[in-house]
Amino acid sequence: MPKRWSIKTEWALLETGPLEERAGFAALGISAYDTWLTAGHDRLLQSVREAPYLSAYHFAEWLAWNWWRLRWEPRKTSLDWELSHAMGSIGGGYVWPNIHILSDGENITLVCKPTPERARTPYRYINDGASVIPAAEFESEVDLFIEMVLQRLQDCQVPDCNLRDVWQAVIHERQDPALQQQRKLEAMLGEDPGEMDEVLLRHFLNNAGATGQAALEEIAANRIPGQNVPDIAGLIELGQEQGTLTDPQDRITLRARAPRGLDTAWKLGAHTAQLLREQERLAPDTPITNDQLADMYGAPHNMLDASGHSTPRLDLSFALSQSDRRSKVLLRSRWEAGRRFELARLLGDYLIHDTSDPMRPATRSDTYRQKIQRAFAAELLSPFLAVDAMLNSDYSMESQQDVAHHFKVSELTIRTLLVNHDRIDRSELGEVGWAHS
């Protein structure tokens, strides 16, 4: 199988600077699916190049230091996230490409944007797009590149350097199961390796029994930068006291399963929703009623009524299993459309994600599991073919609002469907669109 992405280096001469920088100077090219993400216009040569001259050493050092966060931390809005995921932050006096590296846990997305034309800037990057790469392939290519840079340093007789020390630490952490789990959770919480307060981290890790390990990771990924570490005990208490009682035995089951090989989260979620609609013989252009949705989940009919719910301000919804016949559900939104979408997300999670975890979170983060939930809910509540037919090529905001109102979903849900099916440009979603790859 051909590589879906690669980092290529052609070593070059640099006469000044530290030894490791001189040894690591190279024409450095990054490609994905036969497209050079580093392609750009070279002002000095007056031509387009695939690989500008950069410091492979600085790039390798940045990849090694940020390895855990690049591998596991989903997109967050903070300067700290930018420093760990944007190649433009590497510095060192070089003109780095405007590439962001985004993880959802299963896949890595390389989001490439052109750089602006600036006077006296020797190189301007020109490509615009997003490339989705399986996480395992991201890991293997980064490993290969860093080892190649280390070999280059050895060949050039460069003594011990920071890159070698950092990379050896990463390798050790990846080989130790307990340390690997700790580093993964630190990254999902938005922390650098080993920098989080040990007491806070231990307290958070100790909640895995109450939520389940996978659920704990989803909650970690949902942490807002700069805010406190999530209070798991408080969440569980809130769910027990104020959650709506549902009966898992009454929840709908899906007789068919989505085929393997669906390459993105939204396709898996959407296809599963289509299977459920076909099974239940739901007319594509007829909105699912609140009672129908509640029945599918095994919940009381008044659960989706926005009035009468005084849920405290939360940044996630969740289901909390108590027994085979009892489960509590706490929804975040106070609005009917939001509550419908959240319950549909939790339904999708049950149908797609097989786990014995006591808790199932539906969060605002962009992990693979959360993307699947959102795609399932969007397709279940507002089937794309019906949406597309109703819009009839009129993708104005007014028409999108009308369709959203018809299906009782948010306008963002309709826009996301249109972006995922290439009806409108991804820029219509802004940065949110990166999460739906």
Side-chain angles (χ1 to χ4, degrees):
M1 176 186 295
K3 282 189 176 182
R4 281 177 262 206
W5 89 295
S6 64
I7 306 171
K8 301 292 187 183
T9 56
E10 183 179 330
W11 304 115
L13 177 65
L14 183 66
E15 296 181 344
T16 60
L19 291 177
E20 60 267 23
E21 188 166 351
R22 288 160 62 183
F25 188 66
L28 193 154
I30 301 174
S31 66
Y33 299 96
D34 299 322
T35 296
W36 287 96
L37 308 186
T38 46
H41 184 262
D42 189 313
R43 182 186 295 272
L44 297 177
L45 297 178
Q46 288 297 302
S47 64
V48 173
R49 291 172 52 86
E50 296 173 343
Y53 287 103
L54 297 168
S55 171
Y57 178 84
H58 284 331
F59 185 34
E61 188 179 42
W62 181 80
L63 287 169
W65 174 250
N66 294 297
W67 192 90
W68 289 103
R69 296 184 68 171
L70 290 170
R71 176 62 184 84
W72 292 109
E73 184 184 17
R75 169 142 184 99
K76 298 182 178 182
T77 304
S78 72
L79 176 60
D80 189 50
W81 186 91
E82 286 285 330
L83 293 174
S84 300
H85 295 263
M87 285 185 62
S89 70
I90 298 175
Y94 294 89
V95 182
W96 293 97
N98 185 11
I99 295 176
H100 285 76
I101 302 175
L102 285 68
S103 172
D104 66 13
E106 294 290 327
N107 296 306
I108 304 292
T109 303
L110 304 178
V111 179
C112 177
K113 296 292 180 183
T115 53
E117 184 81 59
R118 291 193 181 98
R120 296 185 296 279
T121 299
Y123 198 86
R124 183 175 68 84
Y125 296 92
I126 58 177
N127 273 333
D128 186 348
S131 303
V132 181
I133 300 156
E137 292 187 25
F138 174 81
E139 286 189 26
S140 61
E141 187 66 15
V142 168
D143 290 0
L144 187 65
F145 170 70
I146 292 177
E147 294 295 343
M148 180 180 62
V149 173
L150 288 171
Q151 184 62 52
R152 170 68 175 177
L153 295 173
Q154 182 176 319
D155 293 344
C156 293
Q157 299 181 331
V158 176
D160 289 344
C161 59
N162 185 58
L163 171 61
R164 184 172 285 108
D165 295 340
V166 174
W167 188 236
Q168 286 301 316
V170 171
I171 291 174
H172 169 69
E173 291 159 356
R174 286 163 61 178
Q175 293 172 345
D176 182 323
L179 199 49
Q180 181 186 60
Q181 189 60 50
Q182 177 177 323
R183 292 289 182 258
K184 177 181 178 181
L185 267 174
E186 287 172 342
M188 297 183 90
L189 284 163
E191 300 283 346
D192 286 329
E195 296 296 315
M196 187 173 175
D197 180 272
E198 188 69 21
V199 175
L200 283 176
L201 179 61
R202 284 290 137 209
H203 181 70
F204 187 76
L205 287 168
N206 289 339
N207 287 296
T211 63
Q213 185 63 42
L216 189 67
E217 292 172 1
E218 295 296 327
I219 295 170
N222 193 51
R223 182 193 181 194
I224 298 173
Q227 292 200 0
N228 293 332
V229 175
D231 177 10
I232 303 298
L235 274 179
I236 292 175
E237 182 179 358
L238 197 62
Q240 301 283 20
E241 292 179 353
Q242 299 193 28
T244 300
L245 183 64
T246 68
D247 188 344
Q249 299 285 338
D250 292 337
R251 191 182 305 123
I252 199 167
T253 58
L254 187 60
R255 292 189 289 271
R257 284 289 181 269
R260 294 184 179 183
L262 297 174
D263 57 350
T264 54
W266 77 264
K267 289 181 181 179
L268 175 57
H271 193 86
T272 305
Q274 290 163 6
L275 292 175
L276 180 59
R277 292 189 67 93
E278 290 171 7
Q279 173 183 300
E280 298 304 301
R281 297 182 176 148
L282 299 172
D285 56 351
T286 303
I288 293 176
T289 67
N290 288 356
D291 288 353
Q292 283 177 308
L293 183 57
D295 286 340
M296 286 182 188
Y297 194 87
H301 285 180
N302 67 350
M303 183 179 183
L304 294 172
D305 184 358
S307 63
H309 293 282
S310 57
T311 304
R313 188 172 297 277
L314 295 171
D315 58 359
L316 78 163
S317 302
F318 60 91
L320 194 61
S321 176
Q322 296 179 318
S323 70
D324 290 343
R325 297 302 305 261
R326 291 175 60 89
S327 176
K328 289 291 188 76
V329 175
L330 196 62
L331 301 180
R332 179 188 62 82
S333 180
R334 297 168 184 261
W335 305 100
E336 181 184 7
R339 296 178 71 81
R340 283 166 55 85
F341 197 77
E342 288 164 12
L343 189 62
R345 286 182 62 177
L346 290 172
L347 175 62
D349 196 77
Y350 274 104
L351 296 178
I352 299 169
H353 192 76
D354 186 18
T355 180
S356 58
D357 283 355
M359 181 183 284
R360 289 178 180 268
T363 77
R364 295 178 175 181
S365 78
D366 293 325
T367 65
Y368 188 74
R369 183 173 173 182
Q370 302 304 315
K371 291 181 188 178
I372 290 174
Q373 288 182 14
R374 286 191 284 268
F376 173 90
E379 184 65 23
L380 179 69
L381 298 177
S382 48
F384 170 71
L385 290 179
V387 168
D388 203 36
M390 289 179 68
L391 289 171
N392 194 24
S393 300
D394 176 6
Y395 303 124
S396 65
M397 285 298 178
E398 292 78 10
S399 293
Q400 292 182 41
Q401 288 170 357
D402 290 342
V403 173
H405 179 73
H406 173 78
F407 285 110
K408 297 183 180 179
V409 297
S410 71
E411 294 162 34
L412 177 60
T413 297
I414 300 301
R415 286 201 302 277
T416 302
L417 282 169
L418 296 175
V419 166
N420 285 340
H421 289 273
D422 297 321
R423 293 299 190 268
I424 61 176
D425 190 79
R426 191 163 293 271
S427 62
E428 296 285 339
L429 288 175
E431 293 181 344
V432 177
W434 294 359
H436 297 270
S437 303

